[in-house]
């Protein structure tokens, strides 16, 4: 039984690492990531002098979908492993399935609002950089995407990592139940 638990631990660690790596690749300066697949999916630097939030919104939504899909599949596999155990563990697996259905829509609704909050942060950073550029005698209008954009990317990365932690909490609970079995 211990070998099965170790396998579940490794699977959870793999899913967490893959998602965290995809997020890290997005937050890397210039969009350069460590992994080949993550590097291709990372955000490029803006082509012009003005950064546009729409590509960040799209990427955030894409990463949310990736997290939701990967974690739901993992959660289902862990529930299956629990259901194969004692009757008490099978009841816990059934309870988790009910909780996922009951709370999933609410969680998706709340997390769907995060990109709008990030857009506010994006605009605030861009305006502050434009004001700083204006006080230093730069008459360019919108600031070039420089340090303010790096700050935004780091903020977006932190928010995505926090969301990953939130989404993985039920998985951690299932994993703890499997360890205790």
């Amino acid at each position: 039984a211990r070998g099965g638990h170790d396998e579940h631990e490794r699977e959870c660690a793999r899913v967490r690492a893959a998602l965290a790596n995809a997020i890290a690749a997005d937050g890397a300066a210039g969009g350069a990531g460590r992994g080949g697949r993550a590097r291709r999916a990372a955000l490029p630097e803006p082509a012009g002098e003005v950064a546009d939030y729409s590509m960040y919104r799209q990427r955030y939504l894409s990463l949310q979908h990736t997290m939701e899909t990967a974690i739901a599949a993992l959660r289902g596999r862990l529930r299956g492993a629990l259901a194969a155990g004692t009757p008490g563990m099978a009841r816990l697996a059934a309870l988790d399935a009910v909780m996922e259905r009951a709370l999933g829509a609410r969680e998706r609704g709340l997390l769907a609002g995060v990109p709008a909050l990030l857009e506010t942060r994006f605009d605030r950073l861009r305006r502050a950089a434009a004001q700083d550029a204006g006080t230093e005698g730069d008459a360019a209008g919108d600031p070039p995407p420089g340090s303010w954009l790096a700050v935004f990317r780091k903020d977006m990365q932190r928010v995505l990592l926090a969301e990953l932690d939130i989404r993985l909490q039920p998985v951690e609970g299932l994993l703890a139940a499997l360890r205790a079995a």
Side-chain angles (χ1 to χ4, degrees):
R2 182 69 217 157
H5 298 320
D6 289 343
E7 182 180 320
H8 296 302
E9 298 266 356
R10 284 191 299 274
E11 182 181 14
C12 290
R14 277 192 305 270
V15 169
R16 178 184 286 276
L19 293 170
N21 285 339
I23 292 167
D26 247 35
R34 287 178 287 186
R37 192 168 20 154
R39 182 178 298 132
R40 285 191 299 274
L43 287 167
E45 282 296 318
E49 287 295 303
V50 178
D52 179 22
Y53 180 72
S54 64
M55 70 177 184
Y56 293 98
R57 173 185 296 278
Q58 199 55 36
R59 187 59 185 152
Y60 197 96
L61 293 172
S62 175
L63 285 166
Q64 279 184 318
H65 178 73
T66 299
M67 281 190 273
E68 186 173 348
T69 302
I71 292 169
L74 175 62
R75 193 171 175 181
R77 288 189 296 275
L78 292 175
R79 269 199 306 263
L82 273 175
T86 66
M89 290 294 148
R91 283 192 300 276
L92 180 60
L95 177 62
D96 182 69
V98 169
M99 295 299 290
E100 184 177 29
R101 282 191 302 276
L103 299 176
R106 176 81 172 134
E107 178 182 274
R108 280 188 298 281
L110 291 171
L111 293 174
V114 173
L117 296 172
L118 280 171
E119 183 172 16
T120 301
R121 174 72 173 149
F122 181 91
D123 290 339
R124 190 175 300 134
L125 287 168
R126 181 172 38 190
R127 280 193 309 273
Q131 286 176 346
D132 289 348
T135 60
E136 295 170 7
D138 185 357
D142 255 355
S147 63
W148 73 269
L149 189 55
V151 168
F152 173 77
R153 283 180 177 225
K154 193 65 171 169
D155 289 348
M156 184 170 139
Q157 181 183 38
R158 286 185 190 120
V159 170
L160 280 161
L161 289 170
E163 183 173 327
L164 177 61
D165 287 341
I166 289 168
R167 289 176 181 269
L168 283 170
Q169 285 179 351
V171 168
E172 294 294 333
L174 293 172
L175 196 54
L178 281 168
R179 281 186 211 115

